[in-house]
Amino acid sequence: MKRKFFCVILMLVMMFSLAACASSNQNVKEKTNEENQTAEEQKEPGNATIYLVRHGKTILNNTDRAQGWADGPLIPEGEELIKNVGKGLAEIPFIAAYSSDSGRAIQTANLILAENKTDAKSIELVQKQGIREGYFGTYEGEKNEVMWGDAAKHLGFDNQEELLASGGNIIEKIMNAVAEIDSSEEAESYEELKERSFSEFESIANEAYENGGGDVLVVSHGITMGTILAQIDTSIVPAEGFANGSVTKLEFDGKVWKVIEVNELKYAEEGKSR
């Protein structure tokens, strides 16, 4: 009887041991699978290509008024232009899309993504306050000729034409002059705009680079775009400013910026012919 009892106990011990081994092997297998999956998800850094787009024409653009943090919706002509830009960029497989948090930039980015023929059509649009337009204080909504004229006189020029012809970093001159004469004392200086906009832009590019690279859509504003580009190469900032719906294309390798196109309207033209 004792012998039979010990045999039963021995068999039970062996069964528990086998079950424990099987469970251990399963845990190791599951852990290995998780590690492999994590390794697959971790991508090597890669070059990021940024398509920096100025928003479409708005009601405030149409009446030639200062539009910084003030905001106006796109006019029908502006919507049509941006739809054509979207068609011109329709084959670009954007991995991410950003806009400033101003309505005109959000509207522009959504119109572009709606025309996309790749999986980018369904990606989430991320809004970034850092790439919104410069703030003009009490000049918000004022006629541009008034703001520019006052800035020109403050800087010792007879009119805005003389200011524009003076060379150098015109955006820096304008932003600093407006900040100095703004009665609310709230208008942004060039340094303030530069700090928030370029740091945000670099952050967007770095994130894309660290995640394996690819094409990124960024919708912003004329003064802000000029400020961003000036940190890369002052000589490439167009003296006439950025056209509504223009595309400026840059490549970032984690350290160095390469400018490919500036203030390009060919995407709208190509889209219009499709």
Short mmCIF file of all heavy atoms in Angstrom, two decimals, residues 151 154-155 157 162-163 165-180 190:
data_model
loop_
_atom_site.label_atom_id
_atom_site.label_comp_id
_atom_site.label_asym_id
_atom_site.label_seq_id
_atom_site.Cartn_x
_atom_site.Cartn_y
_atom_site.Cartn_z
N ALA A 151 5.53 102.03 -38.65
CA ALA A 151 6.81 101.36 -38.37
C ALA A 151 7.93 102.02 -39.16
O ALA A 151 9.03 102.25 -38.64
CB ALA A 151 6.71 99.87 -38.73
N HIS A 154 8.86 105.33 -37.62
CA HIS A 154 9.58 105.10 -36.36
C HIS A 154 11.04 104.76 -36.62
O HIS A 154 11.92 105.11 -35.82
CB HIS A 154 8.91 103.96 -35.59
CG HIS A 154 9.58 103.62 -34.30
ND1 HIS A 154 9.54 104.43 -33.19
CD2 HIS A 154 10.35 102.54 -33.95
CE1 HIS A 154 10.23 103.88 -32.20
NE2 HIS A 154 10.74 102.73 -32.63
N LEU A 155 11.29 104.12 -37.75
CA LEU A 155 12.66 103.71 -38.09
C LEU A 155 13.40 104.77 -38.91
O LEU A 155 14.54 104.55 -39.34
CB LEU A 155 12.62 102.39 -38.86
CG LEU A 155 12.13 101.17 -38.06
CD1 LEU A 155 11.92 99.98 -38.97
CD2 LEU A 155 13.12 100.83 -36.94
N PHE A 157 12.27 106.24 -41.89
CA PHE A 157 11.98 106.25 -43.32
C PHE A 157 10.74 107.09 -43.60
O PHE A 157 9.87 107.25 -42.74
CB PHE A 157 11.75 104.82 -43.83
CG PHE A 157 12.93 103.90 -43.64
CD1 PHE A 157 12.97 102.99 -42.58
CD2 PHE A 157 14.01 103.95 -44.50
CE1 PHE A 157 14.05 102.14 -42.40
CE2 PHE A 157 15.11 103.11 -44.34
CZ PHE A 157 15.12 102.20 -43.28
N GLU A 162 10.30 102.82 -48.76
CA GLU A 162 11.71 103.04 -48.39
C GLU A 162 12.16 101.96 -47.40
O GLU A 162 13.29 101.48 -47.48
CB GLU A 162 11.90 104.43 -47.78
CG GLU A 162 11.87 105.55 -48.77
CD GLU A 162 12.27 106.88 -48.14
OE1 GLU A 162 12.69 106.87 -46.95
OE2 GLU A 162 12.14 107.92 -48.82
N LEU A 163 11.29 101.61 -46.49
CA LEU A 163 11.62 100.56 -45.52
C LEU A 163 11.87 99.25 -46.23
O LEU A 163 12.87 98.56 -45.96
CB LEU A 163 10.49 100.41 -44.50
CG LEU A 163 10.54 99.20 -43.56
CD1 LEU A 163 11.84 99.19 -42.76
CD2 LEU A 163 9.34 99.19 -42.62
N ALA A 165 12.80 98.75 -49.19
CA ALA A 165 13.98 98.82 -50.05
C ALA A 165 15.28 98.94 -49.24
O ALA A 165 16.38 98.95 -49.82
CB ALA A 165 13.86 100.01 -51.00
N SER A 166 15.16 99.00 -47.93
CA SER A 166 16.34 99.24 -47.09
C SER A 166 17.23 98.01 -46.93
O SER A 166 18.36 98.11 -46.46
CB SER A 166 15.91 99.75 -45.72
OG SER A 166 15.17 98.74 -45.01
N GLY A 167 16.72 96.83 -47.30
CA GLY A 167 17.51 95.61 -47.21
C GLY A 167 17.60 95.07 -45.79
O GLY A 167 16.97 95.58 -44.86
N GLY A 168 18.40 94.02 -45.64
CA GLY A 168 18.53 93.37 -44.33
C GLY A 168 17.30 92.55 -43.99
O GLY A 168 16.50 92.21 -44.86
N ASN A 169 17.14 92.25 -42.73
CA ASN A 169 16.01 91.44 -42.27
C ASN A 169 14.80 92.34 -42.02
O ASN A 169 14.64 92.91 -40.94
CB ASN A 169 16.39 90.68 -41.00
CG ASN A 169 15.36 89.62 -40.62
OD1 ASN A 169 14.19 89.75 -40.91
ND2 ASN A 169 15.82 88.58 -39.93
N ILE A 170 13.96 92.50 -43.05
CA ILE A 170 12.82 93.39 -42.97
C ILE A 170 11.84 92.96 -41.88
O ILE A 170 11.28 93.80 -41.17
CB ILE A 170 12.08 93.46 -44.34
CG1 ILE A 170 13.01 93.95 -45.43
CG2 ILE A 170 10.84 94.34 -44.23
CD1 ILE A 170 13.53 95.35 -45.21
N ILE A 171 11.65 91.65 -41.75
CA ILE A 171 10.72 91.16 -40.72
C ILE A 171 11.19 91.56 -39.34
O ILE A 171 10.39 92.00 -38.49
CB ILE A 171 10.56 89.62 -40.82
CG1 ILE A 171 9.87 89.24 -42.13
CG2 ILE A 171 9.76 89.09 -39.62
CD1 ILE A 171 9.76 87.75 -42.36
N GLU A 172 12.48 91.47 -39.10
CA GLU A 172 13.04 91.86 -37.80
C GLU A 172 12.79 93.35 -37.55
O GLU A 172 12.40 93.75 -36.45
CB GLU A 172 14.53 91.55 -37.76
CG GLU A 172 15.18 91.89 -36.43
CD GLU A 172 16.63 91.46 -36.35
OE1 GLU A 172 17.19 91.07 -37.39
OE2 GLU A 172 17.19 91.51 -35.25
N LYS A 173 13.01 94.16 -38.58
CA LYS A 173 12.81 95.61 -38.44
C LYS A 173 11.34 95.92 -38.12
O LYS A 173 11.04 96.71 -37.23
CB LYS A 173 13.23 96.32 -39.72
CG LYS A 173 14.72 96.27 -40.02
CD LYS A 173 15.03 96.98 -41.34
CE LYS A 173 16.51 96.92 -41.67
NZ LYS A 173 16.81 97.58 -42.97
N ILE A 174 10.44 95.28 -38.87
CA ILE A 174 9.00 95.54 -38.70
C ILE A 174 8.53 95.11 -37.32
O ILE A 174 7.86 95.86 -36.60
CB ILE A 174 8.18 94.81 -39.77
CG1 ILE A 174 8.38 95.47 -41.14
CG2 ILE A 174 6.70 94.78 -39.41
CD1 ILE A 174 7.74 96.82 -41.26
N MET A 175 8.85 93.87 -36.93
CA MET A 175 8.38 93.34 -35.65
C MET A 175 8.89 94.17 -34.49
O MET A 175 8.13 94.49 -33.56
CB MET A 175 8.80 91.88 -35.48
CG MET A 175 8.12 90.89 -36.42
SD MET A 175 6.31 90.84 -36.26
CE MET A 175 6.10 90.26 -34.58
N ASN A 176 10.15 94.55 -34.52
CA ASN A 176 10.71 95.34 -33.42
C ASN A 176 10.13 96.75 -33.38
O ASN A 176 9.85 97.28 -32.30
CB ASN A 176 12.23 95.39 -33.52
CG ASN A 176 12.88 94.09 -33.11
OD1 ASN A 176 12.28 93.29 -32.38
ND2 ASN A 176 14.10 93.85 -33.56
N ALA A 177 9.91 97.33 -34.56
CA ALA A 177 9.34 98.68 -34.61
C ALA A 177 7.91 98.68 -34.07
O ALA A 177 7.54 99.54 -33.26
CB ALA A 177 9.36 99.21 -36.04
N VAL A 178 7.10 97.71 -34.48
CA VAL A 178 5.72 97.62 -34.02
C VAL A 178 5.69 97.38 -32.51
O VAL A 178 4.86 97.96 -31.79
CB VAL A 178 4.96 96.50 -34.76
CG1 VAL A 178 3.60 96.24 -34.12
CG2 VAL A 178 4.78 96.87 -36.24
N ALA A 179 6.59 96.52 -32.02
CA ALA A 179 6.63 96.25 -30.57
C ALA A 179 6.97 97.52 -29.79
O ALA A 179 6.46 97.73 -28.68
CB ALA A 179 7.66 95.16 -30.28
N GLU A 180 7.80 98.37 -30.36
CA GLU A 180 8.22 99.59 -29.67
C GLU A 180 7.14 100.68 -29.68
O GLU A 180 7.04 101.46 -28.73
CB GLU A 180 9.50 100.13 -30.32
CG GLU A 180 10.72 99.26 -30.02
CD GLU A 180 11.92 99.60 -30.90
OE1 GLU A 180 11.84 100.61 -31.66
OE2 GLU A 180 12.93 98.87 -30.86
N TYR A 190 10.74 90.73 -32.44
CA TYR A 190 11.28 89.71 -33.34
C TYR A 190 11.89 88.56 -32.54
O TYR A 190 11.72 87.39 -32.89
CB TYR A 190 12.32 90.33 -34.26
CG TYR A 190 12.93 89.34 -35.23
CD1 TYR A 190 12.25 88.94 -36.37
CD2 TYR A 190 14.20 88.80 -35.00
CE1 TYR A 190 12.81 88.03 -37.27
CE2 TYR A 190 14.77 87.90 -35.89
CZ TYR A 190 14.07 87.52 -37.01
OH TYR A 190 14.62 86.62 -37.90
#
